[in-house]
Amino acid sequence: MFAQPHAFPYKKGMKITFESAAEQIIGAGKRLDRLGLAPATAGNYSMRLHDGTLAMTVSGAHKGELTQSDIMRVDAEGKPLEDKKPSAETRLHTVLYAMFPEVNAVLHSHSVPLVVLTRNDPQAKFYNLEGYELLKVFPGIKTHDVRVSIPVFDNSQDMDDLGLQVQTVLRDRPSTPAYMIRAHGLYGWGRTMKEAAQVVEGLEVLLSCELETLKLKRG
Amino acid sequence: MFAQPHAFPYKKGMKITFESAAEQIIGAGKRLDRLGLAPATAGNYSMRLHDGTLAMTVSGAHKGELTQSDIMRVDAEGKPLEDKKPSAETRLHTVLYAMFPEVNAVLHSHSVPLVVLTRNDPQAKFYNLEGYELLKVFPGIKTHDVRVSIPVFDNSQDMDDLGLQVQTVLRDRPSTPAYMIRAHGLYGWGRTMKEAAQVVEGLEVLLSCELETLKLKRG
Amino acid sequence: MFAQPHAFPYKKGMKITFESAAEQIIGAGKRLDRLGLAPATAGNYSMRLHDGTLAMTVSGAHKGELTQSDIMRVDAEGKPLEDKKPSAETRLHTVLYAMFPEVNAVLHSHSVPLVVLTRNDPQAKFYNLEGYELLKVFPGIKTHDVRVSIPVFDNSQDMDDLGLQVQTVLRDRPSTPAYMIRAHGLYGWGRTMKEAAQVVEGLEVLLSCELETLKLKRG
Amino acid sequence: MFAQPHAFPYKKGMKITFESAAEQIIGAGKRLDRLGLAPATAGNYSMRLHDGTLAMTVSGAHKGELTQSDIMRVDAEGKPLEDKKPSAETRLHTVLYAMFPEVNAVLHSHSVPLVVLTRNDPQAKFYNLEGYELLKVFPGIKTHDVRVSIPVFDNSQDMDDLGLQVQTVLRDRPSTPAYMIRAHGLYGWGRTMKEAAQVVEGLEVLLSCELETLKLKRG
């Protein structure tokens, strides 16, 4: 997927500094909060920096009101490089950066439709989305006439175990744009923060469409 | 429809400059985004300028955060007049401007209710709206006691083909204020940007009414 | 109702100027628009001035973006006192001011739940609301343990006729805080703009509760 | 619950002044209003000050537009310490501060899902929430794999009686993060305003999940 030509310029050799990453993370938080995708202190966001370390949100901050002090540096394994506590889900970020060298931004959102849909089908391992124009917001998708399968994992507080599951499933499906955790939220990523944000926003809208459709079908 | 007296002043001979058009397009994007009608990078907008060329949004920009550099000039056939890539759906704008000399603004929105309703009735060629006061936001409609039929087209990635279908259907129905594309979005237009925006906003509210009504009926 | 002691100070002899009224109307429009109660150009608002004339929104303006020039003076019968076109529903404002000397502000909102609920029960002459804490936002209501009946009128483009119906029904029910027009919207009023706004906002929330409840019952 | 280590620093001996409390209350009001949790003039908020008195919202103010003059001091029993009228529900705040010495902030929100869900099951004394990741926003909850029971009280205008019921139920359940009043709203609290706000916001999102799930089940 990432090898294909793409609408958003990924400048090879682009040097992302901590300050630029922090600014982009703060902006993403404001937007996801406004869209209802960052309730309470839920969610966590990161970017890969020019030196391979990560800018990561700290634990417990409200994502709509982030300041630079709510963002910290961790190394590629997620170990803190300063005296703050990174998000408890840092492992789920480092897994993605390790698997996909092109990925420079990861966003984790929460939403009502995701929680309701994944609880409604408690055995499903994938959520299939088909026939939507908005599928084209996923990198590499050029037509609505396609089926995209989003992996669904059961929720867990064991991040190493969850990270391993993610790794195993994504290894065989490198063009997957995002995955979901049941009754929890979704992870979306991209070469740029803009791309990651559009993946998350697009997928959340598609989940809203699915939930509304299901209500009509249940009648 | 456009020949009738109208609440919004269309000043004959009004000279729309690129700068004014860009400002109006940026404003429309902010509003549609706030209303949830421009998710991710979805949607595209244009205005006709005083010399017959068009101001058109470029491909891939987020519509809630447009700057003047995200808007470009294309000629009446949609060919770029500067070194940028116009929206992939430019053809659907030029078709409308060619058919309706009075039209100076075209907006394309995306929404959950539109996607759900058009998928729910996959054979429908028209969506009928009847008895709503808000139908009066469509130019020329003076009463709620009326039925307005909005054309629905199947989605396609072939813009020439889709443009031709639009042309064929609208030729016989010149007072149509908007049309829908299944599982995709809607196009609305007007003599001014204000008129186009009110058509889009009004129609999207009516589709929300229809979706909520359908949920009650399915029970 | 209006004779009772009240949380919001109505200063007898309060002199409302056009400038103050315009400012309050602009503020009400921004809020109702943000709440989704003023879609497209729908709705109209007014205040009674110190000399018995009215400040009234002009026809066709977007209520979320009002400026002072979108507000005009009309006399107590609704005749324009300047060279602008007042809202087509001005008659529905003057009827209320004529009946209720204490009323100084009238707001007319549109919403999806109101349209869906009033269409869903096309014969109903009243909509009963019962047992909600939020009923206490209506002036004079001191407990949730009460039933409030909101009149519902069929929609009409004949404002004189509709005004007469409103007059007839409200004459016997002077403590009514608001009424609804089927498939159209609601009128709410108060001694101050703040009171009118709280009536409208409270009633719209209650209608949302009713619609959601109906969805559960239809299952 | 409050004895456990916690992500948000409660600085023992932290001196909360009236000015700081007022600022935090104003901020909470803006946010709850934006989330639709403070319709019309509904809701009331407070903080405990360094000297044991309380900063409390006055009766009748719009919570999204609070100014410092809408916030007043009352003593620990809720008696006014200045010439203003405190919220009619002040008693429900003082009960919580008296029971829980660690609590410094109390928020009372209103929402459509809460009203609909509590009316839908009119006999329920508790609302059980289970399996949601977002349960972790409640202090002391470390996993989604848990059931949290939120007490539900019947609505009443007798605050002494309601306060007594709250006291009786919470005495046996000191780790309860919030309670609900049927057809009315919820109370959430915390050691800091930030903690109280996250409890309220998190619980309201969970109620939205419950309502959407119930719609699917009823079909």
Side-chain angles (χ1 to χ4, degrees), chain C residues 12-88:
Chain C
K12 202 177 156 78
M14 185 167 50
K15 301 292 193 197
I16 302 172
T17 63
F18 178 79
E19 286 70 25
S20 160
E23 197 184 327
Q24 292 181 65
I25 288 171
I26 290 168
K30 279 193 212 303
R31 181 159 182 89
L32 293 186
D33 178 37
R34 189 164 74 72
L35 295 171
L37 302 176
T41 58
N44 39 74
Y45 317 141
S46 69
M47 284 196 81
R48 171 148 44 193
L49 305 182
H50 59 88
D51 60 1
T53 64
L54 309 177
M56 168 76 55
T57 45
V58 299
S59 180
H62 198 300
K63 300 309 174 296
E65 296 160 8
L66 292 171
T67 62
Q68 199 170 307
S69 69
D70 298 317
I71 299 156
M72 64 178 293
R73 288 181 71 178
V74 299
D75 70 14
E77 282 75 43
K79 284 200 213 86
L81 295 174
E82 49 187 304
D83 187 23
K84 293 176 178 173
K85 191 184 165 196
S87 162

Side-chain angles (χ1 to χ4, degrees), chain A residues 6 20-22 55 58 62 73-74 81 86 110 119 135 145 152 156 165 168 182 185 200 212:
Chain A
H6 197 268
S20 160
V58 299
H62 197 301
R73 288 181 73 177
V74 299
L81 296 175
H110 281 221
R119 280 167 73 101
L135 288 168
D145 193 13
V152 183
S156 170
Q165 291 182 52
T168 306
R182 183 165 281 115
V200 167
E212 293 300 289

Side-chain angles (χ1 to χ4, degrees), chain C residues 7-8 31 34-35 130-134 136-137 142-144 194 198 201-202 205 208-210 212-213 215-219, chain D residues 33-34 38-42 60-62 65 89 110-112 115-116 119-120 155-157 183-184 211-212 214-215 218-219:
Chain C
F8 305 110
R31 181 159 182 89
R34 189 164 74 72
L35 295 171
E130 194 168 356
Y132 292 106
E133 175 72 12
L134 208 57
K136 289 166 62 186
V137 302
K142 302 294 184 201
T143 174
H144 65 284
K194 185 182 174 185
Q198 108 184 26
E201 190 171 337
V205 170
S208 292
C209 290
E210 290 282 312
E212 294 299 290
T213 300
K215 286 181 204 167
L216 294 186
K217 291 210 170 122
R218 288 300 175 92
Chain D
D33 179 38
R34 188 163 74 72
T41 59
H62 198 299
E65 296 160 10
E89 297 183 23
H110 281 220
S111 77
V112 170
V115 167
V116 174
R119 281 167 73 101
N120 186 58
N155 198 14
S156 169
Q157 302 303 321
H184 180 159
L211 180 57
E212 293 300 290
L214 204 53
K215 285 182 203 165
R218 288 299 175 93

Side-chain angles (χ1 to χ4, degrees), chain B residues 5 10 26 50 87 92 109 124-125 133 143 148 164 172 196 215:
Chain B
Y10 173 70
I26 290 168
H50 59 90
S87 163
L92 301 182
S109 61
K125 299 293 185 201
E133 175 72 12
T143 174
V148 174
L164 201 63
D172 298 333
K215 286 182 203 166

Side-chain angles (χ1 to χ4, degrees), chain C residues 4 9 19 59 73 77 81 99 101 116 127 145 156 168 215:
Chain C
Q4 299 190 22
E19 286 70 25
S59 180
R73 288 181 71 178
E77 282 75 43
L81 295 174
M99 292 188 81
V116 173
Y127 199 103
D145 193 12
S156 169
T168 305
K215 286 181 204 167

